[in-house]
Amino acid sequence: WDETHFGKMGSYYINRTFFFDVHPPLGKMLIGLAGYLSGYDGTFPFQKPGDRYEQHNYIGMRGVRLCGTSLLDQVRGLFSLVPLLELSKSLPAALLTAFILIFDTGCITLSQYILLDPILMFFLMGAVLSMVKCNNCADRPFSASWWFWLSLTGVNLAGAMGVKFVGLFVVLLVGLNTIYDLWDLLGNLSLSLVMFGKHLLARVLCLIVLPLALYTAMFAVHFAVLNRSGPGDGFFSSAFQSQLIGNNLHNVSIPE
């Protein structure tokens, strides 16, 4: 059913046709990019669920799940194995959870279609993985690995928010973890206030400024690519519509 919506939006990006949707743009941009790189020309109408694709090359857009169900399941298993191994220190527990996720029929089914959910799960689990790895670098703060995992956490937060607003839940998880971490540092009497300020600034930079900058950049790309008149014109002002190629107001002089 949802392929009718998200496949159509992937076509809009390929055709540079402006549209409006309730979800942020990253997932649909990745679907469109996968279709473009795999040779899909954006001409399939996506009129109703169940329509046959016939000669249209739709495999690439379904392939945004990282080139195949089996590979995505392996990545999902890795993303669950590593954090659980770090948290529980139990290899059997981590292997069992990874096995359950890899062979979960719901996840396998979702990963076969043009949907946002597999992309969202990738960033959600990536955020948890990088958060746990960053926590394990707490004994060597400001090292290269510490900065890498902290920054990667911010990138994954932006990715999760950029696919669906449900990604805000992983932002809440990372936020609570960060508050707990900073509270623990504040209670460390051997740590100077200057050093605590550096810790606070690093987290603000990597977990707030970086995700917001990336999230804003997604919309900058979204509006730069979609420069032709389409079904989303009416949601925006006349001044905005005058910038869209093919719109009745295109390049018309409008008083402020």
Side-chain angles (χ1 to χ4, degrees):
W1 177 269
D2 276 357
E3 280 198 340
T4 308
H5 301 289
F6 301 122
K8 183 183 294 184
M9 292 170 190
S11 296
Y12 284 151
Y13 279 108
I14 293 173
N15 297 319
R16 309 193 70 170
T17 304
F18 189 77
F19 70 96
F20 176 80
D21 184 51
V22 296
H23 301 299
L26 179 61
K28 292 158 296 191
M29 283 198 292
L30 290 175
I31 289 171
L33 177 62
Y36 176 77
L37 293 177
S38 61
Y40 170 62
D41 57 6
T43 57
F44 186 73
F46 288 100
Q47 289 181 337
K48 64 180 186 296
D51 284 347
R52 294 185 179 277
Y53 288 106
E54 302 296 347
Q55 78 280 6
H56 294 277
N57 186 2
Y58 65 94
I59 298 298
M61 290 192 291
R62 283 184 172 177
V64 77
R65 60 187 186 273
L66 300 181
C67 304
T69 303
S70 60
L71 181 56
L72 179 64
D73 289 333
Q74 292 169 25
V75 172
R76 186 185 298 120
L78 176 64
F79 276 14
S80 60
L81 174 66
V82 175
L84 277 162
L85 191 58
E86 299 280 3
L87 291 170
S88 67
K89 307 300 181 185
S90 170
L91 182 60
L95 286 173
L96 175 62
T97 305
F99 179 87
I100 290 171
L101 280 172
I102 289 172
F103 295 101
D104 180 270
T105 53
C107 290
I108 292 174
T109 303
L110 282 176
S111 300
Q112 293 179 3
Y113 298 103
I114 305 172
L115 303 174
L116 299 183
D117 303 271
I119 308 171
L120 175 65
M121 286 192 291
F122 175 86
F123 286 113
L124 290 175
M125 298 181 76
V128 175
L129 167 65
S130 50
M131 179 190 75
V132 171
K133 294 295 289 184
C134 183
N135 287 344
N136 288 340
C137 295
D139 57 338
R140 46 187 193 282
F142 305 109
S143 63
S145 58
W146 185 87
W147 277 111
F148 172 78
W149 289 114
L150 187 64
S151 301
L152 188 59
T153 304
V155 171
N156 282 314
L157 291 181
M161 287 190 302
V163 175
K164 275 188 175 182
F165 288 125
V166 178
L168 287 170
F169 283 104
V170 81
V171 175
L172 176 62
L173 172 66
V174 173
L176 291 173
N177 177 78
T178 303
I179 291 171
Y180 176 84
D181 188 28
L182 288 172
W183 182 255
D184 188 54
L185 289 171
L186 187 62
N188 185 355
L189 299 180
S190 64
L191 196 70
S192 68
L193 285 177
V194 173
M195 186 57 68
F196 175 79
K198 290 181 179 179
H199 275 279
L200 177 62
L201 186 61
R203 285 158 176 81
V204 168
L205 180 65
C206 293
L207 301 181
I208 297 178
V209 176
L210 177 60
L212 287 177
L214 291 174
Y215 185 77
T216 305
M218 296 171 198
F219 280 92
V221 173
H222 171 80
F223 287 114
V225 171
L226 304 181
N227 63 354
R228 299 181 182 276
S229 179
D233 295 13
F235 290 95
F236 289 80
S237 67
S238 300
F240 178 83
Q241 292 182 46
S242 69
Q243 303 173 38
L244 298 173
I245 300 172
N247 189 281
N248 292 332
L249 301 175
H250 182 54
N251 286 337
V252 173
S253 178
I254 302 175
E256 288 291 335

